[in-house]
Amino acid sequence: MDAAARPAALYGRRKGQRREPAPANGLEENDIPDIIFFPNGVDLRQVTVLPKAEWVRIRDSVDSAAREAARILAEKKERKDMHLRSKAVVKNWPNTIAGQAQRKLKARKLREEKEEEERKQLDLEEAQFQAAKRKEAIEQAKTYQYYQNERVKRLHKALLLAEVLKERDAQTEFKKTKPDIYKKKEEEMEREREKAILKEQEKAHERYMNRQALCRDHLEQIKEHKHQAELDKLQAKKEGEEIQRLTKLYELEVERENEKKLEEKLELRRLHQEHVADQDILKVVQKQKQEDDDDKIQAHFKAKQNMAKLRREKEAEMNRLMQEQRDNITNHLAALMKQTFEGIDERVARDMAEKEAEWEKERKEKEEKKKAELKSIAEHRAAVIKMKEEREKEARLQGKERLHELMETDRIYLEMEKEKKLRKRNENIKMQNIQIQQMAEKRAREQHEKQVELDYESQKEIIAICKEQEFQEYAKQIIDSESKTAQNIYPLLKAVKEGVGGGHGPVYRERGGIRPSYQARDVNGTQLPSYNCNTTQEIKKINTNSSIPEAKARLGFTW
């Protein structure tokens, strides 16, 4: 419904009353009455219209608690914001306890960072030193491992044997030149002893001077430490005095803050007491107003009772007058009936005819109404039948659509099954291809492993050749150095002989260039000699004759 059709109430006057013209000095915009629309069915005579000032007063009295709470929250928020701003301002001041502590912490952090950098540098130097030690240890281990090789051991044994032979030759020569050597040796020892005595005296004097210098350094350090301790004590004393001064300032600030808080509490208490007094006054006024309203209601109720009593009395009076008038009318009618008794039959007949005409008219109207109802029933039945046919037709269409949907679903299912079978077939083909690829990869991997093994064997042969060349170079250096001083270098030449194993047999190139050794079949199991003797000739003769088992036993074969 449109707002213009609703009943409206204007603040300050009833509907239908004329508003007085505005005064000559004009009216403010806020004094223009507001318009409120009420729903339909509201009796405006039962609506209480209040002035705007009264309405504002009631609203303020109702919302005073919420506004007071909002004001208190705003004051708390303002104090908190002021406290945070004060903390932000004081945070970077250097002359406060917190600032000094922050400065000390910063200095300590810088000192720790510097110490950490020094420790990192020391750790780096230590890591480099340890890496060098590890490298040296690895080199020593490689050298030791190389020296533990069997051929190198035999070479060193041969070198030792060559050294022994050389020493034996030297001792033989020494026996011939022994007296002259001892005399020269004693003179040389005497010169060395005098040199050692002079050197020892120089070292003692140098140690004495170093001790004197060290003592002077220690005395200087002790004086410096004492002076530094006195400076630290003075600094600590100054810091203590500064802390005491700042503590007193802090206590004064705290005392001022407490006094300020106490004044605020007293002010809040006074305001609260005033508010409570205002609330009590407001309650008394409301109670007085309620009593006035009750008096008005009671006066209104009494007036209504009086009006009801007067209305009952007036109704009784009117009933009495009506009864008197009814009696007069009855008497008058009796007189009239006596006067008009003769024309009653005619009037009765006329009335009966009129009644019959009215009855006939009512009967015709009823029949027409019945026909109209039957017609409306037939039309309704036809509409219902038509609606039923349309519903059946719609149901058949829906059934056809459902059948088409089922057929489409079956078709989609069959296509999905076909796709599934095709996908499965493709997966099988893909799996076969993967298996074939895996077989090919396996074959290629086996070939690659064989090739790797062959490469490994070839690398082993190359490494063995390189080791052999290295050993031959090392042995050549030793032999060259020994050949300059020693006369008998046959043990070295024998140890340098090609072939690993140290045997007397042939060198097997296909087995890494080893030279196997054969043991004799006796208790010691010593190696067979490489020279021919009478026994070898005898074995040859036995082989030429017939005794092969004896020859096998002599050679050490066990099969």
Side-chain angles (χ1 to χ4, degrees):
M1 185 180 288
D2 192 21
R6 301 179 191 169
L10 301 178
Y11 289 115
R13 65 187 181 91
R14 297 287 187 178
K15 182 180 178 183
Q17 295 179 354
R18 284 188 179 275
R19 186 183 181 95
E20 293 296 331
N25 56 0
L27 189 65
E28 294 181 0
E29 187 179 355
N30 294 331
D31 294 337
I32 297 173
D34 298 331
I35 298 176
I36 295 177
F37 295 97
F38 294 98
N40 292 327
V42 176
D43 189 3
L44 297 179
R45 289 173 295 182
Q46 303 296 328
V47 175
T48 302
V49 180
L50 299 174
K52 186 173 182 181
E54 186 68 18
W55 167 251
V56 171
R57 186 188 64 77
I58 294 171
R59 188 177 60 187
D60 291 341
S61 65
V62 171
D63 298 339
S64 62
R67 285 189 288 103
E68 184 66 21
R71 185 183 65 78
I72 292 170
L73 288 175
E75 288 179 356
K76 287 183 179 179
K77 186 175 183 299
E78 185 178 358
R79 287 197 298 272
K80 187 175 180 180
D81 293 341
M82 188 180 296
H83 178 65
L84 292 175
R85 287 197 298 272
S86 300
K87 286 178 68 177
V89 170
V90 177
K91 181 174 65 176
N92 297 322
W93 285 1
N95 58 348
T96 60
I97 296 174
Q100 290 180 358
Q102 190 72 22
R103 191 167 63 251
K104 289 181 179 179
L105 289 174
K106 189 174 181 181
R108 181 182 177 184
K109 185 177 180 182
L110 293 174
R111 188 170 62 253
E112 289 178 353
E113 289 178 356
K114 185 177 179 181
E115 292 176 355
E116 183 66 22
E117 291 294 331
E118 292 177 356
R119 284 196 293 270
K120 286 182 180 178
Q121 187 65 26
L122 289 175
D123 293 339
L124 180 61
E125 293 176 358
E126 182 66 21
Q128 292 176 355
F129 177 71
Q130 293 295 334
K133 285 183 67 177
R134 285 195 296 272
K135 186 175 181 181
E136 184 179 357
I138 290 169
E139 294 294 332
Q140 291 178 359
K142 287 182 179 179
T143 306
Y144 178 76
Q145 187 178 6
Y146 179 75
Y147 287 161
Q148 293 298 317
N149 190 4
E150 190 67 28
R151 295 193 68 188
V152 176
K153 282 184 178 181
R154 285 202 305 272
L155 180 63
H156 289 171
K157 289 179 181 179
L159 178 61
L160 182 61
L161 179 58
E163 291 290 336
V164 170
L165 293 175
K166 184 174 70 173
E167 184 66 23
R168 187 183 63 181
D169 296 339
Q171 287 178 1
T172 305
E173 293 292 331
F174 178 71
K175 285 181 180 179
K176 297 178 181 179
T177 60
K178 187 174 180 182
D180 297 334
I181 291 172
Y182 278 164
K183 187 176 180 180
K184 292 179 181 179
K185 189 75 94 170
E186 287 176 356
E187 292 176 355
E188 187 177 355
M189 287 176 65
E190 185 64 25
R191 286 194 301 270
E192 291 292 333
R193 187 171 63 81
E194 291 176 356
K195 288 180 182 180
I197 291 170
L198 292 174
K199 192 174 182 180
E200 190 66 27
Q201 289 176 356
E202 290 176 358
K203 287 183 178 179
H205 185 265
E206 186 178 357
R207 285 195 298 270
Y208 174 75
M209 297 302 293
N210 290 332
R211 282 197 298 271
Q212 291 295 327
L214 183 61
C215 290
R216 286 194 297 271
D217 292 338
H218 285 174
L219 290 173
E220 291 293 333
Q221 289 179 3
I222 290 168
K223 290 180 182 179
E224 186 178 354
H225 288 168
K226 286 182 179 180
H227 181 65
Q228 186 65 33
E230 290 176 356
L231 292 176
D232 292 339
K233 285 180 181 180
L234 291 174
Q235 184 67 22
K237 186 177 180 181
K238 288 180 181 179
E239 290 180 357
E241 292 175 355
E242 183 67 18
I243 290 169
Q244 289 178 359
R245 186 179 66 80
L246 293 174
T247 305
K248 289 179 181 180
L249 290 175
Y250 175 73
E251 290 176 355
L252 290 173
E253 187 68 24
V254 170
E255 187 176 355
R256 291 197 195 97
E257 187 70 23
N258 292 331
E259 290 177 357
K260 187 177 178 181
K261 288 182 179 178
L262 182 61
E263 291 175 359
E264 290 178 355
K265 286 182 180 179
L266 293 175
E267 183 66 20
L268 289 174
R269 184 181 296 173
R270 185 180 62 77
L271 293 174
H272 178 68
Q273 289 175 357
E274 291 178 359
H275 177 69
V276 171
D278 293 339
Q279 291 291 329
D280 293 338
I281 294 168
L282 185 60
K283 286 180 180 178
V284 171
V285 172
Q286 288 180 354
K287 185 176 180 182
Q288 185 66 32
K289 186 179 177 182
Q290 186 69 29
E291 290 177 357
D292 294 340
D293 292 339
D294 294 340
D295 293 339
K296 289 180 181 179
I297 291 168
Q298 289 179 3
H300 181 68
F301 182 68
K302 287 180 180 179
K304 286 182 72 175
Q305 285 182 348
N306 293 329
M307 289 175 66
K309 186 177 180 181
L310 292 173
R311 187 168 56 251
R312 285 195 300 271
E313 290 177 356
K314 188 174 181 181
E315 287 177 357
E317 183 66 22
M318 289 178 67
N319 289 331
R320 187 179 61 75
L321 293 174
M322 287 176 68
Q323 186 66 33
E324 290 178 358
Q325 189 178 2
R326 197 181 294 115
D327 292 339
N328 293 330
I329 291 170
T330 302
N331 294 329
H332 182 66
L333 287 174
L336 288 174
M337 286 176 67
K338 286 180 182 180
Q339 291 177 5
T340 58
F341 186 72
E342 291 84 3
I344 290 175
D345 293 335
E346 295 178 2
R347 287 194 300 273
V348 169
R350 189 171 59 250
D351 292 336
M352 289 296 292
E354 290 177 357
K355 290 283 185 185
E356 288 178 358
E358 289 178 359
W359 288 346
E360 184 67 24
K361 186 179 179 180
E362 289 179 358
R363 185 180 63 78
K364 288 181 180 180
E365 289 178 356
K366 287 182 180 180
E367 287 180 357
E368 289 177 358
K369 187 177 181 181
K370 188 175 181 180
K371 287 180 181 179
E373 290 178 353
L374 291 173
K375 186 178 179 181
S376 65
I377 290 168
E379 290 176 355
H380 179 69
R381 186 184 295 111
V384 170
I385 291 169
K386 187 177 179 181
M387 189 182 296
K388 187 176 180 181
E389 289 177 354
E390 290 177 356
R391 287 180 180 174
E392 290 178 354
K393 185 177 180 181
E394 186 177 356
R396 285 196 296 273
L397 291 174
Q398 290 179 357
K400 288 181 180 179
E401 291 177 357
R402 181 65 178 168
L403 180 61
H404 286 308
E405 289 178 358
L406 291 174
M407 292 174 67
E408 184 68 19
T409 305
D410 293 338
R411 185 182 64 78
I412 292 170
Y413 175 74
L414 292 174
E415 289 179 357
M416 290 175 66
E417 288 294 326
K418 287 181 181 179
E419 290 178 358
K420 188 176 179 182
K421 289 181 180 178
L422 182 62
R423 188 167 60 251
K424 190 172 182 181
R425 182 171 176 275
N426 292 331
E427 288 178 356
N428 292 331
I429 293 171
K430 188 176 180 181
M431 183 61 69
Q432 289 178 1
N433 294 331
I434 290 170
Q435 290 177 353
I436 292 169
Q437 185 179 0
Q438 288 178 353
M439 292 171 65
E441 290 177 355
K442 185 178 180 182
R443 191 176 297 109
R445 188 168 58 252
E446 290 176 354
Q447 292 178 357
H448 178 69
E449 289 176 356
K450 288 181 180 179
Q451 186 64 33
V452 167
E453 188 174 358
L454 292 173
D455 294 340
Y456 176 70
E457 293 294 333
S458 62
Q459 288 178 1
K460 279 176 64 177
E461 292 180 359
I462 292 169
I463 290 169
I465 292 170
C466 291
K467 286 183 177 180
E468 181 67 23
Q469 291 177 356
E470 183 180 359
F471 175 75
Q472 293 294 335
E473 291 176 357
Y474 177 67
K476 187 174 181 299
Q477 292 177 1
I478 293 174
I479 291 171
D480 292 340
S481 63
E482 288 295 322
S483 62
K484 294 177 182 179
T485 57
Q487 297 178 358
N488 190 0
I489 57 174
Y490 176 75
L492 294 173
L493 296 175
K494 184 178 180 182
V496 174
K497 189 170 59 174
E498 186 181 2
V500 191
H504 300 297
V507 177
Y508 286 88
R509 300 290 181 185
E510 64 275 5
R511 293 182 60 185
I514 64 172
R515 186 187 294 274
S517 61
Y518 302 97
Q519 293 181 353
R521 188 180 179 185
D522 56 4
V523 178
N524 297 322
T526 56
Q527 185 175 333
L528 290 176
S530 59
Y531 54 86
N532 292 329
C533 62
N534 295 329
T535 309
T536 306
Q537 299 298 328
E538 291 176 0
I539 290 170
K540 288 181 180 179
K541 290 180 181 179
I542 290 170
N543 287 334
T544 55
N545 294 328
S546 62
S547 181
I548 294 175
E550 292 180 0
K552 284 183 178 182
R554 181 66 185 82
L555 288 173
F557 298 144
T558 57
W559 66 83

